[in-house]
């Protein structure tokens, strides 16, 4: 069954039309604050600059209709608010089908779905009106004239918002989790709901006293990240890694996106967590799958190792068919288990370092694997593990290299720690 907390969050926020700077985004953050009361909502005003970028004004669709020459309604915003491209200009007039064709987009896969067209939102020079129609509807329309009405409202006083929630650890080294809260359902409310549920549970867990500081960022995709990062460089410079969640409730395969370098500590953590929780998954480089906040955090001037987990591909991407009923209970629960286990790995990992010059007398302490009775365990633990405890390799490094389940190695070496044969060193230097 779906985690009821995740399901409730999705159901509450999904009805709001959420695009970058909108009333729907404002309402979404109001809902999030009922789960995370200490959420900080950063606000950025229209035309405010972050290097070369500018905050877009508020934009709302008021009305959209397409009628034939006899006044018969062909399509309207009552069918789907996606009928109008986000940040479209208003228009009212009679146009031939050929003229409309210059302004219409159809979903590339789903012939009966409206397409989420948002080029106008990112291309400030694209000052034009735009609509989307299901391909099968567009194909069925005779080659004649149509009335097109688009009414929109622009608000130069409404701010673009970014939500930030933090669980303070023993150190100020930050592990950041991100998901974009604009757009539709699986893309990407599903991920937001999973992370909200995780951070809510962790914040209420009195036994959770983390070493690292954990940050949640809920953002308008990419552009919100630009403004948060540029205005909070002190926080970004303390960030050890960023983990992005995208489309986790529906899609063909689990996909792990590596960091730009591909061999960072966070990459090993993601694989170990995947082996334990996901079992079946694929791996791609940073530029595979759906691109999101990693493109900001990994930029050469920032250089924060960033990874992502997503279901990829999913056919309803950027379409009116991306609705809550399509979400998989199993996938959402797996995503929640994954991020919880990832934090468990981060918190439990350590760099083991010997405290004595000579190796301990393992048979004396019941820690020895006999080469005759247990040859595989002897090779793994007596040879590979013992001789790679060098004060540099963490448990995650050893698990990744020798394909050992993390909890198995952690349990074994914790006995060395208890007997003071090994001391723990923090992992913060190896991120």
């Amino acid at each position: 069954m779906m985690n009821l907390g995740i399901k409730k969050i999705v159901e509450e926020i999904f009805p709001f039309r959420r695009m970058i700077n909108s009333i729907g985004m404002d309402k979404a953050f109001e809902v999030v604050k009922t789960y995370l009361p200490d959420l900080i909502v950063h606000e950025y005003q229209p035309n405010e600059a972050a290097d070369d970028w500018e905050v877009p004004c508020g934009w709302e669709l008021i009305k959209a209709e397409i009628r034939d020459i006899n006044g018969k309604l062909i399509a309207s915003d009552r069918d789907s608010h996606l009928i109008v491209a986000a940040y479209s200009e208003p228009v009212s007039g009679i146009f031939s089908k050929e003229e409309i064709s210059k302004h219409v987009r159809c979903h590339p896969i789903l012939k009966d779905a409206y397409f989420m067209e948002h080029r106008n939102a990112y291309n400030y020079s694209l000052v034009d009106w735009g609509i989307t129609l299901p391909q099968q509807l567009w194909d069925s329309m005779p080659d004649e004239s149509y009335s097109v009405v688009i009414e929109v409202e622009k608000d130069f006083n409404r701010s673009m918002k970014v939500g930030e929630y933090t669980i303070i650890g023993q150190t100020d080294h930050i592990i950041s989790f991100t998901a974009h809260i604009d757009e539709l359902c699986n893309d990407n409310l599903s991920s937001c709901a999973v992370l909200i549920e995780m951070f809510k549970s962790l914040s209420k867990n009195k036994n959770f006293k983390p070493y690292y500081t954990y940050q949640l960022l809920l953002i308008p995709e990419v552009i919100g990240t630009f403004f948060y990062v540029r205005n909070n460089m002190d926080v970004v410079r303390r960030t050890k890694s960023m983990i992005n969640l995208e489309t986790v409730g529906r899609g063909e395969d689990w996909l792990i996106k590596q960091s730009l370098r591909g061999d960072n500590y966070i990459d090993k953590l993601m694989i170990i967590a995947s082996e334990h929780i996901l079992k079946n998954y694929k791996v791609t480089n940073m530029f595979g799958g759906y691109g999101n906040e990693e493109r900001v955090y990994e930029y050469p001037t920032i250089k924060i190792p960033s990874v992502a987990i997503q279901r990829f591909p999913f056919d309803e991407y950027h379409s009116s068919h991306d609705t809550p009923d399509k979400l998989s209970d199993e996938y959402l629960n797996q995503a929640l288990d994954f991020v919880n286990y990832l934090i468990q790995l981060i918190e439990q990992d350590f760099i083991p370092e010997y405290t004595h010059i000579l190796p301990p007398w393992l048979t004396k302490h019941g820690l020895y694997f006999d080469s005759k009775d247990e040859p595989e365990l002897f090779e793994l633990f007596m040879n590979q593990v013992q001789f790679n405890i060098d004060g540099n390799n963490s448990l995650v490094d050893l698990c990744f290299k020798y394909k050992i389940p993390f909890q198995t190695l952690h349990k074994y070496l914790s006995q060395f720690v208890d007997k003071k044969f090994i001391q723990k060193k923090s992992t913060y230097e190896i991120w």
Side-chain angles (χ1 to χ4, degrees), residues 27 49 54 172 174 202 217 254 263 266 279 324 335 385 405 424 430:
K27 291 180 178 178
E54 297 174 7
D172 63 358
I174 296 169
L202 290 177
L217 289 178
W254 282 113
D263 62 351
I266 186 60
K279 312 300 184 184
V385 169
K424 293 182 177 181
I430 64 174

Side-chain angles (χ1 to χ4, degrees), residues 16-19 21-28 30 59-60 153 155 158:
F16 306 141
R17 299 179 180 182
R18 290 161 286 116
M19 176 54 71
N21 185 353
S22 60
I23 293 172
M25 288 288 281
D26 296 352
K27 291 180 178 178
E30 289 174 6
W59 182 91
E60 300 295 330
E153 180 181 88
D155 188 343
R158 187 188 306 122

Side-chain angles (χ1 to χ4, degrees), residues 331-346:
Y331 297 160
L332 291 170
N333 287 334
Q334 276 189 306
L336 182 60
D337 290 344
F338 180 90
V339 288
N340 277 322
Y341 188 64
L342 190 64
I343 287 182
Q344 183 180 338
L345 289 176
I346 292 169

Side-chain angles (χ1 to χ4, degrees), residues 289-330:
Y290 300 118
N292 290 287
E293 277 50 62
E294 66 277 359
R295 299 185 66 87
V296 182
Y297 277 77
E298 283 275 15
Y299 201 66
T301 53
I302 301 172
K303 294 182 180 178
I304 304 297
S306 301
V307 293
I309 174 175
Q310 51 191 235
R311 298 287 306 187
F312 177 87
F314 88 100
D315 288 345
E316 297 82 7
Y317 182 69
H318 282 189
S319 85
S320 56
H321 289 352
D322 183 8
T323 51
D325 59 294
K326 306 288 198 315
L327 297 178
S328 161
D329 298 359
E330 178 187 359

Side-chain angles (χ1 to χ4, degrees), residues 1 7 9 15 18 32 52-53 101 145 170 191 203 212 219-220 227 245 264 313 316 359 364 368 394 403 415:
M1 293 181 62
K7 183 176 182 180
I9 294 166
R18 290 161 286 116
V32 176
D52 196 41
W53 289 83
S101 69
S145 295
Q170 298 170 44
S191 302
S203 65
Y212 291 99
I219 47 194
F227 279 83
L245 272 67
N264 284 295
E316 297 82 7
K364 177 180 175 180
Y368 185 76
S394 73
K403 305 296 185 287
Q415 298 175 81

Side-chain angles (χ1 to χ4, degrees), residues 251-256 270-283 309-312 330-331 334 338:
E252 187 172 319
D253 296 297
W254 282 113
L255 183 68
I256 299 301
M270 293 289 282
I271 295 301
I272 290 171
S274 298
E275 288 290 328
H276 185 70
I277 301 295
L278 307 180
K279 312 300 184 184
N280 297 315
Y281 62 94
K282 295 181 178 180
V283 178
I309 174 175
Q310 51 191 235
R311 298 287 306 187
F312 177 87
E330 178 187 359
Y331 297 160
Q334 276 189 306
F338 180 90

Side-chain angles (χ1 to χ4, degrees), residues 32-39 165 196 199-200 203 216 218:
V32 176
K33 285 182 74 70
T34 66
Y35 294 92
L36 301 172
D38 294 330
L39 183 82
Y165 186 82
I196 291 167
F199 273 79
K200 182 192 74 172
S203 65
L216 169 62
L218 302 174

